[in-house]
Amino acid sequence: MKSEIVDAFSMMAKEKNIDRDILASVIKDSFKKMMEKKYGLESNFEIVVNMEKGDIEIFLYKVVAEEIKDSNTEIDVETAKEKSGEDFAVGDDYVEEIPIEEFGRRMVINLKQNLNQKIREIEKEITYNTYKDLVGEIIVGEIYQIKPTSILMIHNGNEVIFPKGEQIPKERYKKGDTIRTIVKSIEKRQSGPPLIIVSRADEQFLEKLFELEIPEIYDGIIDIRGIAREPGERAKIAVTSNDDRIDAVGACVGMKGIRIHSIVRELSNENIDVINYTDDPALYISRALSPAKLNDVHLDNENRIAKIYADEDQISLIIGKSGQNIKLASKLTAFQIDVVRLAEEKEEEEKEEEEKEEEEEKEEEDDEIETEDEEGTEVVEGKKSEDKG
């Protein structure tokens, strides 16, 4: 029975990737509780687990006494001699090996259940610690179940959840597909294994793909300063070089676009604009709105609002398909971008000019009325003077 218990849990430890020393500690702890239940908390015993041999030995220590007060901690001379065949004197230590069979089948079943529970807890902790270190990293998993709101994947024997909101909308997945995702989060649950969430729609997934495909980013020669993304449709990424000899955008795009194309293919042909980052907000906004050409940018830094001026034929490029270009540029630069058409500006200027002229005319009329009033007053005062004379 001893070897059965050790073999069973040794095999389980191997399958679950649990360290044998940890398993031995769990077995010891479980047997300790069983001994305390049978012999009391005051009992003195030792549990030896040999995982290599598949052996468990339990030794109960008692003191040889003339008068027995506690049979769990004391033994009389005659009984000690009868059990061991050796002579003992009062006060000697007596060691007795306890066979597992002595605990009874029910207690052994409870022991197995307790061991199972402890191994599950260890497994959960190991899984949590493993994936906690993998948050923000790309993993490769296999799809094994597709649900309306999520996809379930297997990675290294662990279940990971790929929610609908973290999927690229236009991608279609099938059972058995092997896909790359980024570990977005992990959290412990009261029951069951930890909840592992993965994503392909997160901006960090795009950042990690750039890191994998572009050695200069991995080595820290080029830094990613910002990402804005509409998964599966379009993305903008701002980069800067820490080496004046290296062109950040050129390094990211690669010879004939080979580097950027591998990322685009991974993201189901998502269009990616790579721009040079700058600390000049106006220039940064202008680059973020490329390929559109701007005439001018007026900034309200306090309220993070940018008014951009462009020719009429550039407006559609600025806004982009379904407003994607301006929305992504706004997110990338952290500025609210308002487009001012030159025609609208001209109309506004003409309107302001008209209002100004109207105000000036009104002021002139008011001045004339005041002048007339003053002249009328003088005539009246002159007449009064003649009457007095």
Side-chain angles (χ1 to χ4, degrees), residues 1 11 44 87 265 293 316 381 386:
M1 189 179 288
M11 190 177 296
N44 184 17
D87 292 328
R265 283 195 300 271
K293 291 179 172 57
S316 59
E381 285 178 353
E386 289 175 5

Side-chain angles (χ1 to χ4, degrees), residues 173-315:
Y173 309 100
K174 302 189 302 294
K175 185 177 178 181
D177 283 354
T178 301
I179 59 172
R180 291 202 285 183
T181 59
I182 194 166
V183 180
K184 187 171 183 179
S185 66
I186 180 168
E187 60 182 66
K188 291 181 179 179
R189 292 187 284 190
Q190 287 186 342
S191 61
L195 183 67
I196 306 163
I197 302 294
V198 296
S199 174
R200 282 176 64 81
D202 196 89
E203 289 167 359
Q204 204 175 11
F205 181 58
L206 177 58
E207 183 178 349
K208 276 294 172 182
L209 287 175
F210 265 81
E211 191 178 298
L212 289 173
E213 296 293 338
I214 299 154
E216 291 86 349
I217 291 178
Y218 182 81
D219 294 334
I221 299 169
I222 294 173
D223 290 334
I224 295 173
R225 299 300 296 271
I227 294 177
R229 188 179 174 211
E230 193 76 30
E233 298 293 336
R234 192 169 186 176
K236 290 181 182 289
I237 181 165
V239 293
T240 185
S241 176
N242 297 315
D243 187 337
D244 295 336
R245 297 168 298 175
I246 294 177
D247 172 26
V249 173
C252 291
V253 173
M255 186 79 69
K256 296 182 180 179
I258 189 167
R259 288 180 171 180
I260 198 78
H261 284 161
S262 64
I263 298 172
V264 168
R265 283 195 300 271
E266 175 66 37
L267 299 175
S268 300
N269 296 321
E270 185 174 311
N271 292 320
I272 302 173
D273 301 334
V274 184
I275 66 169
N276 277 310
Y277 174 82
T278 174
D279 289 325
D280 180 351
L283 181 57
Y284 191 28
I285 289 168
S286 180
R287 288 174 178 174
L289 287 168
S290 63
K293 291 179 172 57
L294 311 184
N295 293 331
D296 201 2
V297 179
H298 291 175
L299 299 175
D300 178 356
N301 287 309
E302 186 177 345
N303 297 308
R304 305 294 292 177
I305 297 173
K307 283 189 176 183
I308 60 171
Y309 298 82
D311 294 331
E312 193 65 32
D313 61 350
Q314 295 298 306
I315 301 300

Side-chain angles (χ1 to χ4, degrees), residues 71-129:
S71 60
N72 291 328
T73 58
E74 297 173 326
I75 189 170
D76 61 71
V77 176
E78 291 77 12
T79 307
K81 184 177 181 179
E82 186 182 329
K83 284 189 173 184
S84 65
E86 298 178 11
D87 292 328
F88 288 90
V90 173
D92 287 348
D93 291 327
Y94 171 79
V95 183
E96 178 184 357
E97 185 175 355
I98 307 296
I100 291 178
E101 292 79 1
E102 188 176 303
F103 294 99
R105 195 151 201 86
R106 184 181 293 276
M107 195 171 281
V108 171
I109 290 171
N110 290 338
L111 170 72
K112 288 184 177 181
Q113 290 174 346
N114 186 34
L115 282 170
N116 267 317
Q117 184 181 345
K118 283 189 174 294
I119 284 176
R120 281 196 297 269
E121 288 172 2
I122 292 170
E123 184 187 1
K124 283 163 63 175
E125 195 64 28
I126 289 172
T127 302
Y128 177 80
N129 290 330

Side-chain angles (χ1 to χ4, degrees), residues 306-336:
K307 283 189 176 183
I308 60 171
Y309 298 82
D311 294 331
E312 193 65 32
D313 61 350
Q314 295 298 306
I315 301 300
S316 59
L317 287 174
I318 290 170
I319 295 171
K321 180 185 175 183
S322 303
Q324 278 178 1
N325 196 47
I326 194 168
K327 184 166 70 174
L328 291 175
S330 181
K331 187 177 180 182
L332 185 69
T333 60
F335 268 86
Q336 177 187 317

Side-chain angles (χ1 to χ4, degrees), residues 131 140-144 152-160:
Y131 284 89
V140 179
E142 182 181 334
I143 295 172
Y144 80 90
L152 302 182
M153 297 167 55
I154 289 293
H155 174 256
N156 291 345
N158 298 300
E159 182 183 271
V160 297

